[in-house]
């Protein structure tokens, strides 16, 4: 729920920013519009439209980058928005506007409204592609797709406004609509098609959502080193990244690296970071494999010695058939309604080794005495060995 509310806020912020940028960009060009002859040559028409939409695109890109920085930092960053949005937006807008006008005038002879909408989609796609190079982990595909859909939706409104309002008012409203929908659809595409994300919940109750990808999302007190600035922590305190389908969290202060799954949380300064992962399996009680209870007495399990699970100050003896519930490990949520999160099973009738089967809705991470790390997915079984460390979300356990 927090993610969806945060994404909605982000989409509206980007949309409003884009609308303001489109309006201002067209407002700057408006005094020169009358100097553009209505019966220009093909080349002049392409050049004029490229120049016009270059300024509009520069305004949209700058405003969306302003919205992005304000969203993640909570304060205006005008200089950064101009630096990272103005020039590339001007270039992307000019190129896309010229291409769109070339197609519209060359193929449609200037009177095909469907083709005009498609051309706005092309212009939006190139602008979205440019923004994808500036917004971390947005991705070229999502940026291009979101910008294209936004350009089409905004282009439909542009034509509607052009027919129902005066020339100046129609262009101002139309460019604002294009900027609005490009901003909205960039966030929609990012939210719908990302594989991993972070929900950042502040102690004040505010929430922000960032997409995870190959580019690290950094947290710290130094604005030059960190994407998310957290007061009263190290200049660069924590780094999150998506590597080979795994969510990696590095504590820069200690050098510790952990692998996270959906629902895992990290606390830093005045905020709590919750990890989301769309690839997390969703087990149900119907497909949990049957449990085999060993005929061997518990005393013979695991090399004929008693084995236990140490959870902080608690020690839980384990033997074949031992069941662990949410009351034993509160950080886990059971996949079934009976509250069972794990059960100890014998690996086979002819072996004395024990296994711990994961019956909850998230993966565990186990580290053996050699330091090898293994993911224990829901419904899978971990062979128990002395000294194995198991991370049950926020609670760590050890086989003793």
């Amino acid at each position: 729920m927090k993610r969806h509310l945060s994404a909605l806020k982000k989409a509206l912020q980007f949309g409003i920013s884009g609308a303001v940028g489109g309006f201002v960009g067209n407002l700057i060009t408006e005094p020169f519009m009358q100097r553009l002859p209505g019966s220009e040559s093909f080349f002049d028409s392409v050049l004029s439209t490229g120049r016009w939409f270059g300024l509009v695109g520069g305004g949209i890109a700058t405003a969306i980058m302003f919205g992005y920085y304000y969203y993640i930092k909570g304060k205006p960053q005008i200089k950064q928005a101009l630096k990272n949005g103005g020039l590339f937006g001007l270039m992307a807008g000019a190129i896309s506007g010229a291409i769109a006008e070339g197609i519209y005038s060359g193929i449609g002879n200037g009177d095909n409204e469907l083709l005009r909408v498609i051309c706005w989609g092309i212009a939006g796609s190139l602008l979205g592609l440019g923004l994808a190079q500036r917004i971390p982990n947005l991705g070229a595909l999502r940026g291009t797709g979101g910008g294209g859909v936004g350009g089409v939706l905004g282009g439909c409104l542009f034509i509607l406004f052009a027919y129902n309002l005066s020339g100046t008012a129609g262009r101002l409203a139309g460019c604002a609509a294009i900027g609005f929908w490009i901003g909205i659809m960039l966030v929609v595409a990012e939210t719908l098609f990302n594989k991993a994300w972070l929900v950042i919940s502040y102690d004040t109750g505010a929430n922000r959502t960032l997409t995870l990808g190959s580019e690290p999302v950094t947290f710290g007190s130094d604005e030059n080193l960190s994407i998310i600035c957290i007061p009263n922590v190290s200049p660069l305190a924590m780094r999150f990244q998506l590597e080979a389908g795994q969510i990696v969290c590095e504590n820069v202060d200690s050098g510790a690296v952990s692998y996270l799954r959906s629902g895992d949380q990290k606390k830093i300064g005045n905020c709590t970071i919750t990890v989301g992962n769309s690839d997390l399996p969703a087990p149900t009680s119907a497909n949990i494999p049957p449990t085999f209870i060993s005929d061997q007495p518990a005393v013979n399990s695991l090399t004929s010695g008693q084995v236990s699970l140490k959870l902080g100050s608690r020690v839980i003896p384990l033997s074949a058939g031992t069941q662990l519930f949410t009351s034993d490990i509160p950080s886990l949520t059971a996949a079934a309604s009976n509250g069972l999160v794990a059960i100890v099973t014998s690996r086979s009738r002819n072996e004395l080794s024990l296994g711990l089967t994961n019956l909850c809705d998230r993966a565990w991470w186990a580290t053996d005495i050699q330091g090898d790390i293994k993911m224990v997915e829901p419904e899978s079984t971990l062979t128990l060995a002395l000294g194995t460390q198991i991370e049950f979300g926020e609670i760590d356990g050890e086989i003793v």
Side-chain angles (χ1 to χ4, degrees), residues 29-52:
T29 66
E30 200 58 36
F32 308 101
M33 293 300 292
Q34 294 181 356
R35 299 182 185 180
L36 303 178
S39 57
E40 298 172 313
S41 68
F42 175 79
F43 178 78
D44 289 338
S45 178
V46 169
L47 185 63
S48 297
T49 302
R51 181 175 55 196
W52 167 61

Side-chain angles (χ1 to χ4, degrees), residues 50-68:
R51 181 175 55 196
W52 167 61
F53 199 69
L55 289 171
V56 173
I60 292 174
T62 299
I64 288 179
M65 290 306 301
F66 177 89
Y68 167 75

Side-chain angles (χ1 to χ4, degrees), residues 89 143 195 216 219 235 272 283 348 355:
K195 292 185 177 181
F219 294 77
T272 300
S348 76

Side-chain angles (χ1 to χ4, degrees), residues 10 12 56 76 82 106 111 123 152 155 168 174 178 210 225 244 269 332 336 347 362 374:
K10 185 177 181 180
L12 288 174
V56 173
L82 284 169
D111 58 2
V152 168
T168 298
I178 290 171
L210 291 181
L225 299 175
L332 298 182
R347 302 296 288 169
R362 68 164 67 177
K374 176 184 179 182

